[in-house]
Structure formats: structure tokens, C-alpha cells
Amino acid sequence: MDKTFCAEAASLRILVADDDPELRELVAGYLEHDGYQVLLAADGNQALQLARSEKPDLIILDVMMPHVNGLDVCRILRDEVDCPMFILSARGDEPDRVLGLNLGAIDYVSKPFSPRELVARINAHLRRRPRRSIPEPLVQVGPLQIDRVRVEAHLNKIPLDLRGKEWDLLLLFAQTPGRVYTKQQIYERVWQEPYYDNDNTIMVHIRNLRRKLDDALPGAGDWLENIRGLGYRLKALPEEARS
């Protein structure tokens, strides 16, 4: 690895998720030798938690992990984190490779593998990675304004009394107004758990969110639309939008 990238690697973090402790430590040792900071996860749940809290620069996922397998972790995280993901698997046949790549992984490595080759692939991807954009602290959709830093939301300059997941739901929709989110996408992003027919939980929170929007501005609850058979979205609104 060239000296310039070696110095840069010291600021980069890689999450290694594998239920085999010996393999975890082996891969971590090679990565640390090249200067990377390494995060370790022993199962899919730990991988999800660390990916969301630590925001690594690259994630390595074993397929056969307990609780949540690597492919499901990849599917859940692909729209949540802005980093490349590698899949490790003892099953190297073409359908599995295609599935992993279609779920959002950028590379699929079959076991057994050379740790040195794995690190070389990682170096190649990270050298050409795009710069991450820093999200704006304020999200504005018509008269709705959300402050990420202060964790506040206002509608027509009236503060919204949002609790827990209501805040997360509104931020999710407001970040991409007009985009339809399926119930599965909503649950996995907001509750950060695999989706298992949790429709009632989503419906209750959306109903509460609509009521609070209506309290601040009559008719505003209708901006949160149910697109039959698809999911939910927040209308794209002009600044002067009113009910």
C-alpha cells in the first residue's frame, strides 16, 4: 500500500462481522497491519448496531451468521449507510454471488480465501471511494421544518410534540418528499429490526403522526399519504403550502 493511502487508512474504520472468532481476528489482524481501525461483530444484530452507531467506511459480512444473516444485514443497510459492503461465504456458486451483489454488496468473496487478497480488494475499493456528503442540519418541506441537530420539528413555525419513532418517521419521509416507502422499508429503517409483518405498529405511529400534524395545521395530516398496495409517502410541498 502506498504511503499516501497508508496514512489515510489510519482514519478509516472497517466493520468485520463473522461468527467465527478465529476468522474475525485473522481478518482484523491483516486490516490493522495496513493501518485500518477495525470494529468486530459476532452476529447480525451486532453488525446492524455497529453499522448504525459507528458509521464504518466499509463492512465485511459473513453470510451464515446467527440472529440475522449477512444477506439480510446487507439488504437492511444498503439504504441506510453510505459505505461499500463485502460478502464472505462458504457457498460460492453463481446464484449466491448474484444474490449478494443484487442486495447491494460490491464484492463477494468465497471461503476459503486469502486474507492478503481480501485486504488488497478492500484497498482498491477504498482508494476510489467517493467523498461522503455531510447532510444539511435543516430539512425543509413546504412549511414543515426539521432540525436534525436540535431534534426539533416545526409546522408553520408551531413546534410539533413528537415522541420516539414519530420523529424518526417524519424525518424519514421529509428527507425524500414524494418517495414511496414500503412498510418493510419503513420498519427496518425506523425500528432498525427485520420486518416480520409489523403493519399494525407502523399504522398506529403514522396515525399518531397525522393527528399531530393536523393539530398544528388542519389538513396537514393528509400530506402523509397511503399509496394503496405500495406504502406511504410525504407529499412534496411548496413553501407556501396550506390546507
Side-chain angles (χ1 to χ4, degrees):
M1 186 161 55
D2 63 79
K3 292 182 179 180
T4 301
F5 184 71
C6 186
E8 185 181 359
S11 66
L12 301 179
R13 293 185 296 175
I14 297 178
L15 170 59
V16 179
D18 197 301
D19 62 338
D20 182 338
E22 292 185 4
L23 183 59
R24 261 197 329 269
E25 294 297 334
L26 177 64
V27 173
Y30 274 83
L31 290 169
E32 289 170 346
H33 180 267
D34 269 25
Y36 294 107
Q37 300 176 46
V38 181
L39 306 166
L40 298 177
D43 58 52
N45 282 337
Q46 288 184 5
L48 289 170
Q49 292 168 4
L50 285 172
R52 288 160 173 158
S53 63
E54 301 299 326
K55 303 294 190 295
D57 297 278
L58 185 139
I59 301 173
I60 302 171
L61 298 166
D62 177 44
V63 170
M64 300 303 291
M65 289 189 293
H67 305 308
V68 185
N69 70 50
L71 294 177
D72 282 339
V73 172
C74 183
R75 175 176 52 79
I76 293 169
L77 291 178
R78 64 183 173 185
D79 293 327
E80 295 186 27
V81 297
D82 180 23
C83 73
M85 288 182 278
F86 277 58
I87 295 290
L88 304 179
S89 178
R91 299 175 58 181
D93 51 313
E94 183 179 0
D96 286 328
R97 291 198 303 273
V98 170
L99 177 59
L101 296 172
N102 284 341
L103 286 174
I106 63 166
D107 208 343
Y108 190 105
V109 181
S110 299
K111 295 180 179 180
F113 60 86
S114 162
R116 186 175 290 106
E117 179 184 349
L118 173 63
V119 173
R121 292 191 192 189
I122 290 169
N123 291 342
H125 282 291
L126 290 179
R127 279 194 188 96
R128 60 177 181 264
R129 75 194 188 288
R131 296 282 182 181
R132 289 184 177 179
S133 59
I134 301 174
E136 293 293 330
L138 294 180
V139 177
Q140 183 88 37
V141 184
L144 173 66
Q145 187 180 77
I146 300 175
D147 189 324
R148 298 172 186 263
V149 176
R150 297 183 178 180
V151 194
E152 297 174 351
H154 292 78
L155 180 56
N156 261 10
K157 299 183 179 179
I158 299 172
L160 297 173
D161 181 21
L162 302 179
R163 308 294 175 85
K165 300 304 181 185
E166 295 167 1
W167 160 267
D168 295 332
L169 275 170
L170 185 60
L171 179 60
L172 172 67
F173 290 122
Q175 289 178 120
T176 50
R179 172 178 170 174
V180 178
Y181 287 92
T182 67
K183 294 174 183 176
Q184 179 174 337
Q185 289 172 331
I186 292 169
Y187 193 83
E188 290 178 347
R189 288 192 178 200
V190 173
W191 278 265
Q192 299 188 352
E193 298 173 354
Y195 174 79
Y196 297 113
D197 193 24
N198 302 98
D199 293 1
N200 189 59
T201 299
I202 296 171
M203 290 169 60
V204 168
H205 282 78
I206 286 182
R207 183 168 62 243
N208 291 339
L209 181 55
R210 281 174 170 159
R211 175 176 53 79
K212 292 183 178 183
L213 292 172
D214 278 331
D215 288 343
L217 179 64
D222 294 336
W223 299 345
L224 194 52
E225 297 180 312
N226 179 6
I227 309 302
R228 189 176 298 276
L230 295 176
Y232 295 89
R233 72 177 179 187
L234 180 68
K235 287 183 180 179
L237 303 164
E239 186 71 27
E240 67 277 7
R242 295 293 184 271
S243 60

